[in-house]
Amino acid sequence: MLVAWRRRLFLHLWLSLFIGVAVTGICIGLLHSRFLHSPTVIALGPGTDFIMRHSNCRSLLRCNLEADAANVVIYAFWAFVVLVGIDLLRQPTRTAQ
């Protein structure tokens, strides 16, 4: 049963990348809505703070794209950690069968 770990890890990586893109898209959608534009929704984008501190943005479009890419990477990382953690917790039941 340990043979399929590469396949599961690859699937977790793709799923976490999809989750990162989806969550970033939802956050962007909430930022552009009229009734949910609040500091809480703005706080869902941690990449913006990172880019403003560590990047030399010359245009607003480039700054926004870098912040969105940073958000995708941050959310994908945490989704990957959660998925691998769930997989490791399920491992003893999978090997017992």
Side-chain angles (χ1 to χ4, degrees):
M1 298 314 148
L2 291 175
V3 178
W5 68 271
R6 288 182 183 153
R7 184 176 52 88
R8 282 195 317 271
L9 201 62
F10 186 72
L11 289 175
H12 290 326
L13 186 64
W14 277 108
L15 183 60
S16 65
L17 184 65
F18 176 73
I19 289 171
V21 169
V23 169
T24 302
I26 289 170
C27 291
I28 290 171
L30 290 175
L31 280 174
H32 293 297
S33 67
R34 270 188 244 155
F35 57 95
L36 286 176
H37 186 75
S38 68
T40 307
V41 176
I42 294 169
L44 289 175
T48 306
D49 185 46
F50 179 78
I51 293 301
M52 292 302 167
R53 288 184 187 199
H54 301 291
S55 179
N56 188 10
C57 294
R58 291 188 172 87
S59 69
L60 183 62
L61 177 64
R62 180 178 172 172
C63 226
N64 288 337
L65 288 176
E66 286 180 5
D68 292 341
N71 284 333
V72 167
V73 169
I74 290 169
Y75 287 130
F77 170 75
W78 287 113
F80 184 73
V81 168
V82 168
L83 288 172
V84 169
I86 290 170
D87 195 35
L88 288 175
L89 289 175
R90 292 180 57 198
Q91 185 67 30
T93 60
R94 193 173 19 242
T95 57
Q97 294 176 352

